Structure formats: C-alpha cells, structure tokens
Amino acid sequence: MRKLFFAFLATVLISKANAQTDINLGIIPAPVSVTKTSGNITLGDNVLILALPSNQAIASTLKQFLAAKGITAKVVSAKTPLTANQRAIVLRNDADQKLPNEGYQISIKANRIILDGRNAGLFYALQSFMQMFPANRTNASYSLPNVEINDYPRFSYRGLHLDVGRHFFPISFIKKYIDVMAAYKLNNFHWHLTEDQGWRLEIKKYPKLTEVGASRNGTIIGNHPGSGGTDNELYNGYYTQAEAKEIVAYAAARYINVIPEIELPGHSSAAIAAYPELSCFPDRDTYIAANTPWSGPRTGKQVQQTWGVFDDIFVPSENTFNFLQDVLDEVLAIFPSKYIHIGGDEAPKKYWKESPFCQQLIKEKGLKDEHELQSYFIQRIEKYLNGKGRSIIGWDEILEGGLAPKATVMSWRGEKGGIEAAQQHHDVLMTPSTNGLYFDHKQSTAEDEPLTIGRNGKGFAHYSKVYNYDPVPAVLNDDQKKYIKGVQANLWTEYIETPSKAEYMIFPRVYALAEIAWTPLEKKDFKNFSEERLPLHLAKLDQTATNFWVPIPFGQPDATVNGENYVVELKAPVNGAKIYYTLDGYRPSENAAEYTAPLKINVPSGQKKVLKTIVITPSGKRSIVSQSIFNNGAADVK
C-alpha cells in the first residue's frame, strides 16, 4: 500500500510539472493538483450518469444538482455501453485502491467526466465538481475545461465544533451546519451537549437531566461579567435521543462523524442542579464568595444564568462514576463515534480542596494533589470507555496531573498542550484559541461588530489569521509531527443566540479552516484564496438564505499612510457587490459615491483625508465601515 501511495504521489508531481496551466478552478479547499489541458466538454440535455448500486445516493445528488442548472440527466447502470458522442458522467470507487484514504480524481476529456474516489473520496469529488461547475450557460449549454484533478487531505481529522449548552439550536440548523461541513470536506462534527447553562441530551435513566438541567431561569444581559443582571426569562431546550440519532444518520450520509461531548468533572452545574448528590456539597450554594465561611445549607443548586467558570464540580465518588457510566452507556448507543469527548477543561479545585471526602480519597489513592485527582477521575472514565471499544478526547487541561494512557488531546490554550502531548506520543487535535480557531471571536476591531466574547481588542480572528495558521508546530521533530492528527475550529455560543448570528460568525472563516485542514502547505495561496475564490463562494452564499460577515474591499489600506498623492484601487470581496465611499468624514451608505474606478486622492500639506468604505452585496448584506487615513503632516491623525 505504501508503494501504491508513493506511486500515486509521483504521478501527481509529474502531472503538475507537465501542466500547461496549474489552476484550482475556484475549488475550496484547493486540491493537491489541478492540470488543465486543451479543449473542453459541453453539457446540455440528455446527460447519462453511470453509477453502481452503492453510489445511488451520490448519483441522485448529482442529478438534482444538474436539474437545478436546467440539465436533464438520467442515472443508469455503471455497465451501460456508451457511444463516442454520448456525454456521460461516470462515478467510480477507486477499484484498484490506488488513492490515499478520502482521495479522489476528476478526469474530464473526450465527452467523459469521470469522478473516482476512495471511501469518502467519491463524495468529495462530487463536492469539487459542483464547485467548479460554471455559473452561466453559453449557447444553451455549460462548458467545462478538460482537466485532471488529483486530490487527498492533509489531515485525517478536519473538525468543526458547536456549543449548544449556552444557546440551543434547532435540528434544522444542525443539519444546515453539517451541510456546510460536507461541502467543504470537513469530517468531524464536535457536538458540545452539556454545560453549566444547560444539559441538552435526553438520558432516559436520569430524566431530571432534561426536566431540570435543560432549563435556566434567565440569561446574562450584555458581556460577562455584565452590569445588567439577567433577563429573568426561562430558557430551555434539549434533543431527544431520536433527534440525536437523526443527526448522526444525517451526518453519516455526508461522511461526517459526530463526536458528542459530555463535560466532566467541571462545567457540570446543570447536571448537579438536577442531581445535587453529584456535588461535593449537595446543599451548598454555588454563589458563596471564596472568602465567606460556609455554616450550613444555603439556597441549593441551579442551572447557571451567567457565563464563566463555577466552583461546583462532580464529586469523584462511586455514585458519581456509576451515574456517568450510565449516562455514557446511553450516549454510546446513540453515537457510533470512535471518539467520545469528555471535556476536562476549566475544572476548579476549590470544592475538592475543601471536601473531607476528596482529601481522604487523595490519601487513599496515593495522589499528590487535586490535579492528580482529576487525572484519576479522567482515567476512570477512559478505562470504562476503552472497555466499550471507544477512545476519549479531552481539552488540554487533562495533561495536568498526568495524561490518561490512550487519550487524545485537543489543544485550545495555544499550542503548548498539543506540543507536550505529541512529545509524549499522544494523538493531538489542534484548535488553539490564539490562532484564529475560536469562531466566537470578532472578525474585525470595528465598532460595527456585534457583541462577542472578546473585549478591549482581545479575541480578534480575521479569516486571514485562520488561513495563515499551520496546525503542525515547527518545534516538533518529524516523529512527533505524526501525532498531529488534525485541526478544528470551535463555535462557543455565550453571545451567539440565533442561527443567523452563528452563520455570521462561521462565514467566511470556515472556508479558511477547510483549506488549512485539507490542502498541502505548498499549495496554499492566500491572495488567490481571498481575492479569487472567496468572492466567488460568498457570491453563491449571498444567493441563499444564509447570513455571513462581508469582508472589506481588497486594496484598502488598513493603517495610516503618509504622503501627498495616492491612487487607491479597490476590489469587491463578493462578486456582484458594490463599494460605496466617502472622503468627507461621514459614514458611507448606498447614498454615498459608488466606487467605479481607482481613486486619486490629493492631500494638501498639513492636512489629512479619511477614506471610509462600505460593501453592499446584491442581497443587501453590508460590511463593517472601514476607514483609511491619508496624512500629509497633520498633527491629529485619528
């Protein structure tokens, strides 16, 4: 198999060297190799789709896509004989096993379009084919270039996360989220199902988890810690097991694995509110200040109404482990994923330090401290899940006190945890919040941005920051780099209340994520990505009922520039969008001047001029207002 792979790779490199033109045909993520040859194929009516019985679902999707383009297609047996002039699309399954896992090839020549793929590869070939398909007809038909595409992923794990604990999202949106992932070749949906602010999965043995734990009596107003209190409105929602299974099946049909996250031992307020005996102090109020002595029962537990980290935490008792094992048994019956995410992050040790039971347990187990107690907790859960044929993923805090023997580490507090885990020969998934992969962070520093988790300039993650991130740290040696299995972006929803805002936060950053997860480093090209392909994909998105963040014009300076004469050439970041501008200090709108040609800006000595722009897409979506300062010796340049 190794020989076959390297033979395939050699073929790719040779074909690249012999290419007349090396292009990417607008595909995101950019393929390994795209070679355009002379000639083209035209598709009108009466196209045949040749497919094996196992490929009927893909064939049906292709037929529907062509129908939307006005092309009549018929699905026939893969053994159907063809005439030389018959236009046909042939679906294949890499019968010779010559492709890497999830790899695919697209070959267009001599009236034939051949989509060939291994495992999920054929599905990915279809996604690329649909992306490269022309937007418009020419003489009642569509023209596609003769081309050879060879492609396979850089990483086996390509993930996107969604937190439904802070805010709940309907099944219809979850499916739309998965559709986006599938279109851009992401293959792991990390579903964050339990939190301090809500338990979102039905567990039949413990009905209070959703009867009590899925509801909170209010939600914080404004940014944490906030000054407006909570809204005092009941907020609830959860997924039944049948709905969760529906999502698993929907994702599997699109070659996406669903990884459930059941948080432990911290971020467990909702579960403890339902079953207080899971706490070290069942009657102790979680709002007692750290410096206030506790002298008996207070107001009990609640599903949290604010954001942050809370002191209450699962007590590591046999009762708790039995509870968690029961919960996990039901989780395993819903989710066939090899991986089960068990959280492990932001677990405060205050209650464990104060608990006589926990202190006695530390002594009995010969543990050094509360960090080793957490490691004991995680290892108990890992052993149980390993016994069920599953493996755990945990946030990088699970390194503290000793890493569970077979755990995969998800590195979120920068790269340090991932580097440490890889050096210990543990599998690693990179998702550092410091490198643009927290999609709840703002996309610019402009005042127009909506409320997000970042304040005072913190938490900034423009799509360029995502694109320029390499998930494999240079500090690792070649052997250690093999343990970096993939990359993931996370969407935490403290400040994301609706599907529309969730869409605003993931687009266009999800495109950049797809490219760093799939495309080889040497094939990445930010200028091509941002100025050629991104405007095309955003224009298609603009034609759907989907919200997104509209980038500022390409070519606009993002800082103060000094001099007297300037020529500013702008380009719309969305195909078909218009740019409006002002030079008089006022905020632009569609009532301002429309940019149609390069701007010649002359600044008299001792003065400045401020260029403000806004982009408005064909559907009416608007960018932030962006400004550039052109200064010729003025004292005040703000």
Side-chain angles (χ1 to χ4, degrees), residues 94-110:
D94 186 26
D96 298 329
Q97 294 288 292
K98 63 182 181 298
L99 298 173
N101 187 38
E102 299 183 292
Y104 69 89
Q105 294 178 326
I106 298 176
S107 176
I108 301 179
K109 61 182 177 181

mmCIF file of all heavy atoms in Angstrom, residues 94-110:
data_model
loop_
_atom_site.group_PDB
_atom_site.id
_atom_site.type_symbol
_atom_site.label_atom_id
_atom_site.label_comp_id
_atom_site.label_asym_id
_atom_site.label_seq_id
_atom_site.Cartn_x
_atom_site.Cartn_y
_atom_site.Cartn_z
ATOM 1 N N ASP A 94 -12.654 3.823 -6.976
ATOM 2 C CA ASP A 94 -11.230 3.503 -6.803
ATOM 3 C C ASP A 94 -11.024 2.001 -6.683
ATOM 4 O O ASP A 94 -10.488 1.487 -5.698
ATOM 5 C CB ASP A 94 -10.679 4.215 -5.566
ATOM 6 C CG ASP A 94 -9.173 4.054 -5.399
ATOM 7 O OD1 ASP A 94 -8.482 3.847 -6.406
ATOM 8 O OD2 ASP A 94 -8.706 4.116 -4.254
ATOM 9 N N ALA A 95 -11.447 1.265 -7.715
ATOM 10 C CA ALA A 95 -11.417 -0.196 -7.667
ATOM 11 C C ALA A 95 -10.017 -0.751 -7.447
ATOM 12 O O ALA A 95 -9.844 -1.804 -6.831
ATOM 13 C CB ALA A 95 -12.008 -0.758 -8.968
ATOM 14 N N ASP A 96 -9.002 -0.029 -7.908
ATOM 15 C CA ASP A 96 -7.624 -0.515 -7.775
ATOM 16 C C ASP A 96 -6.967 -0.090 -6.466
ATOM 17 O O ASP A 96 -5.802 -0.390 -6.229
ATOM 18 C CB ASP A 96 -6.784 -0.006 -8.952
ATOM 19 C CG ASP A 96 -7.284 -0.514 -10.287
ATOM 20 O OD1 ASP A 96 -7.829 -1.632 -10.311
ATOM 21 O OD2 ASP A 96 -7.147 0.211 -11.285
ATOM 22 N N GLN A 97 -7.714 0.644 -5.632
ATOM 23 C CA GLN A 97 -7.183 1.124 -4.340
ATOM 24 C C GLN A 97 -5.860 1.865 -4.519
ATOM 25 O O GLN A 97 -4.912 1.713 -3.753
ATOM 26 C CB GLN A 97 -7.002 -0.052 -3.366
ATOM 27 C CG GLN A 97 -8.310 -0.708 -2.944
ATOM 28 C CD GLN A 97 -9.117 0.177 -2.002
ATOM 29 O OE1 GLN A 97 -8.726 0.414 -0.869
ATOM 30 N NE2 GLN A 97 -10.241 0.669 -2.485
ATOM 31 N N LYS A 98 -5.810 2.697 -5.535
ATOM 32 C CA LYS A 98 -4.576 3.438 -5.823
ATOM 33 C C LYS A 98 -4.530 4.791 -5.126
ATOM 34 O O LYS A 98 -3.483 5.442 -5.085
ATOM 35 C CB LYS A 98 -4.423 3.641 -7.330
ATOM 36 C CG LYS A 98 -5.513 4.486 -7.978
ATOM 37 C CD LYS A 98 -5.303 4.601 -9.478
ATOM 38 C CE LYS A 98 -6.370 5.474 -10.142
ATOM 39 N NZ LYS A 98 -7.719 4.914 -9.978
ATOM 40 N N LEU A 99 -5.666 5.229 -4.585
ATOM 41 C CA LEU A 99 -5.741 6.550 -3.976
ATOM 42 C C LEU A 99 -5.522 6.486 -2.469
ATOM 43 O O LEU A 99 -5.854 5.493 -1.825
ATOM 44 C CB LEU A 99 -7.115 7.170 -4.244
ATOM 45 C CG LEU A 99 -7.493 7.417 -5.711
ATOM 46 C CD1 LEU A 99 -8.942 7.863 -5.803
ATOM 47 C CD2 LEU A 99 -6.590 8.472 -6.317
ATOM 48 N N PRO A 100 -4.993 7.553 -1.892
ATOM 49 C CA PRO A 100 -4.943 7.640 -0.419
ATOM 50 C C PRO A 100 -6.364 7.680 0.133
ATOM 51 O O PRO A 100 -7.318 7.987 -0.582
ATOM 52 C CB PRO A 100 -4.213 8.959 -0.163
ATOM 53 C CG PRO A 100 -3.533 9.300 -1.444
ATOM 54 C CD PRO A 100 -4.370 8.722 -2.536
ATOM 55 N N ASN A 101 -6.512 7.396 1.415
ATOM 56 C CA ASN A 101 -7.836 7.419 2.029
ATOM 57 C C ASN A 101 -8.476 8.788 1.854
ATOM 58 O O ASN A 101 -7.831 9.819 2.070
ATOM 59 C CB ASN A 101 -7.742 7.074 3.515
ATOM 60 C CG ASN A 101 -9.102 6.912 4.156
ATOM 61 O OD1 ASN A 101 -10.023 6.377 3.552
ATOM 62 N ND2 ASN A 101 -9.234 7.395 5.380
ATOM 63 N N GLU A 102 -9.731 8.809 1.444
ATOM 64 C CA GLU A 102 -10.520 10.007 1.177
ATOM 65 C C GLU A 102 -10.052 10.761 -0.065
ATOM 66 O O GLU A 102 -10.538 11.848 -0.365
ATOM 67 C CB GLU A 102 -10.532 10.969 2.374
ATOM 68 C CG GLU A 102 -11.125 10.382 3.643
ATOM 69 C CD GLU A 102 -11.182 11.393 4.762
ATOM 70 O OE1 GLU A 102 -10.112 11.788 5.268
ATOM 71 O OE2 GLU A 102 -12.291 11.799 5.135
ATOM 72 N N GLY A 103 -9.094 10.191 -0.800
ATOM 73 C CA GLY A 103 -8.610 10.838 -2.013
ATOM 74 C C GLY A 103 -9.572 10.654 -3.172
ATOM 75 O O GLY A 103 -10.428 9.773 -3.169
ATOM 76 N N TYR A 104 -9.424 11.500 -4.172
ATOM 77 C CA TYR A 104 -10.283 11.398 -5.350
ATOM 78 C C TYR A 104 -9.554 11.921 -6.580
ATOM 79 O O TYR A 104 -8.532 12.619 -6.488
ATOM 80 C CB TYR A 104 -11.589 12.177 -5.153
ATOM 81 C CG TYR A 104 -11.432 13.685 -5.124
ATOM 82 C CD1 TYR A 104 -11.494 14.445 -6.301
ATOM 83 C CD2 TYR A 104 -11.230 14.361 -3.923
ATOM 84 C CE1 TYR A 104 -11.350 15.819 -6.281
ATOM 85 C CE2 TYR A 104 -11.100 15.732 -3.886
ATOM 86 C CZ TYR A 104 -11.153 16.459 -5.073
ATOM 87 O OH TYR A 104 -11.014 17.824 -5.050
ATOM 88 N N GLN A 105 -10.103 11.582 -7.733
ATOM 89 C CA GLN A 105 -9.639 12.094 -9.009
ATOM 90 C C GLN A 105 -10.846 12.531 -9.829
ATOM 91 O O GLN A 105 -11.911 11.903 -9.778
ATOM 92 C CB GLN A 105 -8.858 11.033 -9.780
ATOM 93 C CG GLN A 105 -7.541 10.631 -9.120
ATOM 94 C CD GLN A 105 -6.823 9.535 -9.884
ATOM 95 O OE1 GLN A 105 -7.449 8.658 -10.478
ATOM 96 N NE2 GLN A 105 -5.502 9.582 -9.889
ATOM 97 N N ILE A 106 -10.668 13.608 -10.567
ATOM 98 C CA ILE A 106 -11.650 14.047 -11.543
ATOM 99 C C ILE A 106 -10.948 14.125 -12.894
ATOM 100 O O ILE A 106 -9.902 14.785 -13.016
ATOM 101 C CB ILE A 106 -12.259 15.416 -11.192
ATOM 102 C CG1 ILE A 106 -13.004 15.341 -9.852
ATOM 103 C CG2 ILE A 106 -13.201 15.891 -12.292
ATOM 104 C CD1 ILE A 106 -13.557 16.679 -9.388
ATOM 105 N N SER A 107 -11.502 13.451 -13.885
ATOM 106 C CA SER A 107 -10.931 13.469 -15.233
ATOM 107 C C SER A 107 -12.009 13.900 -16.218
ATOM 108 O O SER A 107 -13.089 13.308 -16.275
ATOM 109 C CB SER A 107 -10.408 12.079 -15.612
ATOM 110 O OG SER A 107 -9.945 12.071 -16.953
ATOM 111 N N ILE A 108 -11.735 14.971 -16.948
ATOM 112 C CA ILE A 108 -12.674 15.465 -17.952
ATOM 113 C C ILE A 108 -11.961 15.491 -19.300
ATOM 114 O O ILE A 108 -10.989 16.235 -19.481
ATOM 115 C CB ILE A 108 -13.188 16.873 -17.603
ATOM 116 C CG1 ILE A 108 -13.886 16.865 -16.238
ATOM 117 C CG2 ILE A 108 -14.140 17.381 -18.681
ATOM 118 C CD1 ILE A 108 -14.398 18.229 -15.801
ATOM 119 N N LYS A 109 -12.438 14.673 -20.232
ATOM 120 C CA LYS A 109 -11.887 14.649 -21.589
ATOM 121 C C LYS A 109 -12.766 13.765 -22.465
ATOM 122 O O LYS A 109 -13.424 12.835 -21.979
ATOM 123 C CB LYS A 109 -10.442 14.134 -21.589
ATOM 124 C CG LYS A 109 -10.256 12.723 -21.070
ATOM 125 C CD LYS A 109 -8.778 12.341 -21.069
ATOM 126 C CE LYS A 109 -8.568 10.942 -20.480
ATOM 127 N NZ LYS A 109 -7.132 10.571 -20.450
ATOM 128 N N ALA A 110 -12.786 14.067 -23.746
ATOM 129 C CA ALA A 110 -13.454 13.238 -24.757
ATOM 130 C C ALA A 110 -14.889 12.879 -24.372
ATOM 131 O O ALA A 110 -15.271 11.710 -24.375
ATOM 132 C CB ALA A 110 -12.636 11.969 -25.013
#
